[in-house]
């Protein structure tokens, strides 16, 4: 036989042979939309005329390394598996409709084979060996309901079967004759290109060539293919387990595999720009420095280690598995934008740092991100910026190294935006940001003052608990006659009412007492709050030269509340913001200490 043989086969011819999906292959991933599309396309072609042929793609096989007489399915297993599931659905539906003559369908699913001892045995024409398949295929073959499972593959197999069954009920009107005709067209007129090669290595090379360096297939699948091509067969089992853990972990954290792979490359080799369809070609062209072909197992272990850290960061844990309040803060910033994860490039690059330095890195990332959000810096530029910074970050060995790095990166960038940040913050109101980000702002300001005054380490969630912590408008939204008399002109100006200078956090119980009262009455209630930033609105703690006094040194209580008071407090909060987010501006309030750094 020639080393490579290619021919057109019908589905009927396809399932005369026995196929094994090797254990290193990825599990079944087709969803309802792909299964439904395949069925609808076949049906549309059938309706064009019974003589029309419909090609649905190719498959690559080689002699099985598991069992003689069978072929290992190297490429095309998603499509072949779907065809197999469709055949099972047709068999089951026709059986329920009272069809007796099902031998043709059954022989395409299970047939007689000869075992090693020369005895007849029944074998399925498709046998997946990856663990996630579980007993789902046994249920399919025997016509039993697929047992519920938490594995993604079994869920997808079950959905594919249900989709095929529903197609028979709806599109073919559950008609025995229509289902029979569809089955006949499927078996004889639907065709594939079957490429047979005499060796596993050659089959993998064909697989790579057919998929044109990542354009036709997910780069993660091509990367896996390349790893197995480069590995010794004795390493297959370990490599398979490593790769499976990577796929499973990506699924658990609901992360896009290609985004993780891009960020891994950015953080490790400082590549500033790389589109998804360029990933595989980049890996091939840069193999000399990344060692993918020479050390496939070591590369996979490195990828798995990076993913372990990556998953921890998304779960708000530092590199050492400890809860990180700062990573939780970043999640507050991007609560409704899961696509904004460019900061993970820097976290990956810094995962080698000591716990102390890594904590400072996280705080610097948080402050930098918020500054950029407030001044409306385009986040799409962050990938290239963070990739460039990553190479420098990987060389940091000490706190002194890190300070030099931060000065030339985070601080330099924030200095460019400092004046705009200050002006924007001073003019901010509760409509300037989405509510969850505005909650973050007030929470951070209040947390910072409390931490400097009392110590302790309450997380930001302590201040952003909407059930227990309410937003107080010092000048009420709905003013009554008493408020009007005290405040005067501008009492109904929405810009003043929603200004950052007019807002504070208070406990739920205190907010109920405040209501729409005038300031002369509210000023007696604010000191009851546990939040120092709220208490200072009307009363300064009289304790002496203590941390509490120093925390609010630059702020003063107000005897009355008017337009000027709102503007004054907005300026004080803008000064405070420069300290909280470490914005290096020279001319903001000198009395604020840059504590907590």
């Amino acid at each position: 036989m020639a080393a490579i043989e290619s021919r057109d086969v019908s589905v009927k011819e396809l399932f005369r042979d026995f196929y094994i999906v090797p254990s290193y292959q990825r599990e079944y991933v087709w969803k309802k939309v792909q299964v439904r599309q395949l069925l609808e396309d076949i049906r549309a072609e059938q309706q064009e005329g019974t003589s029309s042929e419909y090609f649905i793609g190719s498959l690559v096989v080689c002699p099985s390394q598991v069992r003689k007489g069978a072929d290992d399915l190297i490429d095309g297993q998603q499509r072949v598996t779907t065809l197999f599931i469709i055949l099972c659905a047709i068999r089951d539906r026709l059986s329920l409709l009272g069809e007796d003559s099902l031998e043709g369908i059954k022989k395409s699913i299970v047939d007689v084979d000869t075992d090693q001892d020369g005895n007849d045995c029944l074998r399925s024409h498709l046998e997946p060996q990856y663990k996630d398949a579980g007993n789902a295929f046994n249920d399919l073959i025997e016509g039993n309901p697929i047992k519920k499972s938490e594995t993604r593959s079994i869920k997808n197999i079950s959905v594919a079967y249900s989709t095929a069954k529903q197609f028979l009920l709806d599109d073919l009107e559950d008609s025995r004759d229509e289902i029979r005709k569809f089955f006949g067209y499927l078996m004889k007129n639907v065709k594939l290109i079957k490429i047979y090669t005499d060796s596993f290595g050659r089959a993998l090379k064909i697989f790579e060539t057919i998929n044109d360096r990542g354009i036709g297939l997910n780069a993660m699948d091509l990367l896996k293919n390349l790893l197995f091509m480069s590995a010794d067969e004795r390493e297959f089992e370990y490599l398979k387990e490593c790769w499976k853990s990577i796929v499973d972990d990506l699924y658990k954290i609901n992360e896009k595999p290609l985004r993780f792979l891009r960020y891994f490359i950015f953080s490790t080799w400082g590549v500033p720009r790389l589109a998804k369809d360029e990933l595989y070609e980049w890996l091939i062209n840069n193999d000399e420095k990344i060692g993918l072909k020479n050390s496939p197992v070591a590369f996979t272990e490195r990828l798995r280690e990076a993913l372990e850290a990556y998953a921890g960061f998304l779960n708000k844990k530092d590199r050492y598995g400890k809860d990180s309040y700062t990573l939780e803060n970043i999640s507050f910033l991007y609560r409704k934008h899961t696509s904004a994860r460019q900061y993970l490039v820097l976290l990956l690059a810094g995962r080698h740092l000591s716990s102390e330095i890594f904590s400072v890195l996280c705080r610097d990332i948080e402050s930098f991100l918020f500054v950029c959000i407030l001044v409306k810096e385009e986040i799409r530029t962050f990938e290239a910026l963070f990739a460039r910074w990553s190479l420098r970050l990987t060389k940091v060995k000490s706190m002194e190294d890190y300070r030099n790095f931060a000065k030339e990166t985070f601080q330099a960038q924030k200095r460019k935006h400092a004046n705009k940040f200050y002006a924007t913050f001073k003019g901010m109101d509760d409509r300037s940001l989405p509510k969850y980000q505005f909650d973050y702002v007030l929470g951070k300001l209040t947390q910072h003052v409390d931490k400097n005054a009392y110590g302790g380490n309450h997380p930001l969630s302590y201040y952003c608990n909407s059930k227990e912590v309410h937003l107080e408008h010092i000048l009420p939204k709905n003013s009554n006659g008493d408020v009007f008399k005290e405040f005067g002109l501008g009492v109904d100006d929405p810009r003043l009412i929603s200004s950052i200078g007019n807002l504070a956090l208070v406990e739920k119980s205190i907010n109920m007492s405040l209501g729409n009262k005038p300031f002369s009455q509210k000023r007696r209630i604010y000191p009851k709050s546990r939040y120092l930033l709220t208490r200072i609105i009307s009363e300064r703690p009289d304790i002496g030269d203590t941390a509490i006094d120093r925390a609010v040194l630059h702020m003063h209580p107000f005897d009355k509340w008017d337009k000027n008071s709102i503007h004054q407090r907005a300026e004080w909060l803008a000064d405070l913001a420069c300290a909280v987010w470490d914005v290096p501006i020279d001319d903001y309030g000198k009395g604020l200490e840059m504590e907590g750094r």
Side-chain angles (χ1 to χ4, degrees):
M1 175 180 259
I4 300 175
E5 179 184 278
S6 174
R7 63 189 179 94
D8 299 347
V9 296
S10 66
V11 173
K12 183 176 182 178
E13 292 170 318
L14 175 71
F15 285 114
R16 283 175 182 161
D17 296 327
F18 297 95
Y19 303 95
I20 294 187
V21 182
S23 59
Y24 55 80
Q25 284 276 28
R26 70 171 174 171
E27 72 277 10
Y28 183 65
V29 298
W30 270 27
K31 304 291 174 113
K32 179 178 179 178
V33 62
Q34 288 102 336
V35 177
R36 181 77 193 178
Q37 188 65 58
L38 177 62
L39 286 162
E40 289 177 352
D41 289 347
I42 295 171
R43 176 61 170 167
E45 288 295 323
Q46 179 200 3
Q47 291 175 326
E48 289 291 321
T50 56
S51 62
S52 65
E53 291 184 341
Y54 182 50
F55 283 86
I56 60 171
S58 63
L59 64 149
V60 179
V61 300
C62 67
S64 176
Q65 299 177 332
V66 177
R67 188 173 69 242
K68 286 185 178 180
D71 293 330
D72 278 349
L73 192 53
I74 305 302
D75 186 27
Q77 76 110 332
Q78 303 295 322
R79 196 173 292 107
V80 173
T81 301
T82 304
L83 290 171
F84 186 85
I85 293 170
I86 291 170
L87 290 178
C88 292
I90 291 174
R91 176 205 61 194
D92 296 344
R93 197 64 215 158
L94 285 175
S95 178
L96 283 172
L97 291 172
E99 180 69 61
D100 295 325
S101 180
L102 295 172
E103 289 307 309
I105 304 178
K106 290 180 178 178
K107 282 177 67 69
S108 297
I109 298 170
V110 177
D111 205 354
V112 176
D113 192 18
T114 304
D115 67 16
Q116 290 289 102
D117 299 321
N119 299 316
D120 287 348
C121 61
L122 287 176
R123 291 197 193 282
S124 168
H125 281 283
L126 185 65
E127 184 181 330
Q129 299 227 323
Y130 49 87
K131 289 181 180 179
D132 278 3
N135 295 316
F137 268 76
N138 290 336
D139 292 334
L140 274 176
I141 291 162
E142 295 171 8
N144 297 325
I146 298 174
K147 299 177 181 66
K148 289 185 178 181
S149 172
E150 290 304 311
T151 75
R152 176 171 53 165
S153 185
I154 293 179
K155 286 180 182 177
N156 291 337
I157 292 168
S158 179
V159 168
Y161 178 81
S162 298
T163 302
K165 186 170 69 173
Q166 198 63 43
F167 171 83
L168 301 177
L169 290 169
D170 296 341
D171 294 59
L172 302 183
E173 300 176 350
D174 204 22
S175 164
R176 185 163 63 179
D177 289 342
E178 287 299 317
I179 295 174
R180 266 292 182 186
K181 289 176 184 177
F182 181 79
F183 169 67
Y185 182 85
L186 172 69
M187 296 299 281
K188 292 186 176 181
N189 296 62
V190 176
K191 295 195 171 183
L192 303 93
I193 299 173
K194 183 176 180 180
I195 302 171
Y196 184 93
T197 181
D198 60 356
S199 72
F200 171 69
R202 200 186 305 268
L204 287 175
K205 189 64 180 174
I206 294 170
F207 169 82
E208 177 187 44
T209 304
I210 286 174
N211 286 288
D212 193 24
R213 296 204 164 199
I215 294 174
L217 196 74
N218 185 305
M220 286 290 280
D221 295 316
L222 288 169
L223 171 59
K224 183 191 75 172
N225 170 67
L226 183 60
L227 291 168
F228 276 97
M229 282 177 62
S230 305
D232 188 288
E233 288 189 20
R234 293 170 294 182
E235 299 173 320
F236 277 10
E237 190 62 29
Y238 178 68
L239 193 58
K240 177 195 74 176
E241 292 300 322
C242 284
W243 191 263
K244 185 179 184 304
S245 72
I246 289 171
V247 172
D248 288 348
D249 287 348
L250 285 167
Y251 178 67
K252 288 175 186 175
I253 62 175
N254 193 30
E255 179 57 295
K256 296 175 181 177
L258 294 186
R259 176 162 56 191
F260 164 68
L261 184 57
R262 288 175 71 238
Y263 287 3
F264 173 72
I265 292 172
F266 293 167
S267 66
T268 308
W269 293 285
V271 180
R273 283 183 176 83
L274 195 61
K276 288 187 290 187
D277 58 2
E278 298 171 336
L279 283 168
Y280 186 67
E281 187 173 357
W282 185 89
L283 289 168
I284 293 294
N285 292 340
N286 291 273
D287 182 55
E288 186 174 336
K289 66 180 176 183
I290 66 179
L292 197 155
K293 291 182 180 177
N294 288 335
S295 306
V297 172
F299 177 87
T300 308
E301 289 175 334
R302 188 177 186 182
L303 194 66
R304 183 171 64 171
E305 178 271 328
L307 179 57
E308 182 183 340
Y310 189 92
F313 301 151
L314 287 177
N315 288 318
K316 304 152 195 156
K317 296 184 183 296
D318 66 16
R319 182 62 187 93
Y320 303 92
K322 297 179 181 177
D323 290 335
S324 168
Y325 288 155
T326 310
L327 293 180
E328 183 180 52
N329 294 352
I330 294 174
S331 74
F332 273 104
L333 271 178
Y334 289 120
R335 185 179 301 174
K336 297 187 179 179
H337 293 279
T338 56
S339 61
R341 293 179 171 178
Q342 297 91 336
Y343 67 92
L344 290 163
V345 173
L346 286 177
L347 293 178
L348 280 176
R351 67 186 186 277
H352 69 287
L353 298 170
S354 69
S355 180
E356 180 186 10
I357 300 175
F358 187 81
S359 294
V360 178
L361 169 66
C362 290
R363 292 201 298 272
D364 282 338
I365 291 174
E366 180 195 353
S367 63
F368 175 75
L369 290 176
F370 176 68
V371 169
C372 291
I373 286 171
L374 192 66
V375 301
K376 296 186 170 15
E377 176 77 2
E378 285 283 350
I379 63 171
R380 63 185 177 185
T381 64
F382 289 178
E383 283 186 356
L385 183 67
F386 291 168
R388 290 195 297 270
W389 291 0
S390 289
L391 279 182
R392 297 186 57 188
L393 189 57
T394 57
K395 298 173 183 176
V396 168
K397 304 298 181 186
S398 65
M399 185 61 82
E400 183 179 358
D401 290 343
Y402 179 78
R403 289 194 184 101
N404 290 331
F405 162 81
K407 182 179 179 181
E408 295 170 10
T409 54
F410 295 117
Q411 293 297 318
Q413 286 291 318
K414 285 193 288 186
R415 188 174 292 280
K416 285 166 50 178
H417 298 304
N419 291 331
K420 185 176 180 181
F421 175 86
Y422 182 82
T424 304
F425 200 98
K426 187 171 67 171
M428 182 166 46
D429 59 37
D430 60 8
R431 300 163 298 181
S432 301
L433 295 170
K435 183 181 182 305
Y436 64 93
Q437 290 181 342
F438 196 78
D439 290 346
Y440 163 87
V441 171
L442 285 178
K444 282 286 290 186
L445 294 173
T446 308
Q447 179 194 48
H448 180 86
V449 172
D450 282 355
K451 184 176 180 181
N452 285 347
Y454 309 123
N457 197 23
H458 286 304
L460 189 59
S461 56
Y462 175 81
Y463 298 90
C464 296
N465 182 348
S466 58
K467 291 183 179 179
E468 299 298 328
V469 183
H470 288 190
L471 180 63
E472 154 68 355
H473 292 76
I474 304 171
L475 171 63
K477 283 184 174 181
N478 301 308
S479 299
N480 56 33
D482 291 337
V483 174
F484 183 82
K485 288 177 185 177
E486 286 190 9
F487 193 88
L489 194 63
V491 69
D492 56 353
D493 186 342
R495 293 171 299 178
L496 292 175
I497 294 171
S498 59
S499 166
I500 186 78
N502 190 55
L503 303 174
L505 295 182
V506 295
E507 299 85 334
K508 177 181 177 181
S509 57
I510 292 177
N511 192 48
M512 293 174 67
S513 301
L514 291 166
N516 293 324
K517 294 181 174 68
F519 184 74
S520 59
Q521 295 178 37
K522 284 186 173 185
R523 67 190 307 271
R524 294 194 293 269
I525 301 174
Y526 290 136
K528 297 178 182 178
S529 174
R530 63 174 175 261
Y531 307 134
L532 183 54
L533 190 59
T534 302
R535 289 163 55 193
I536 193 63
I537 294 171
S538 59
E539 179 181 279
R540 172 178 291 282
D542 186 17
I543 304 178
D545 185 20
T546 66
I548 296 175
D549 288 300
R550 292 192 296 273
V552 289
L553 181 64
H554 199 64
M555 298 184 186
H556 306 285
F558 293 92
D559 296 323
K560 64 177 183 176
W561 195 251
D562 55 20
K563 181 178 179 179
N564 292 332
S565 305
I566 293 175
H567 291 322
Q568 179 63 71
R569 187 167 181 270
E571 285 188 14
W572 288 345
L573 293 181
D575 290 342
L576 179 61
C578 291
V580 172
W581 286 283
D582 196 15
V583 177
I585 191 168
D586 297 327
D587 57 351
Y588 74 93
K590 306 275 188 216
L592 289 176
E593 298 287 337
M594 299 282 278
E595 296 186 37
R597 293 289 304 154

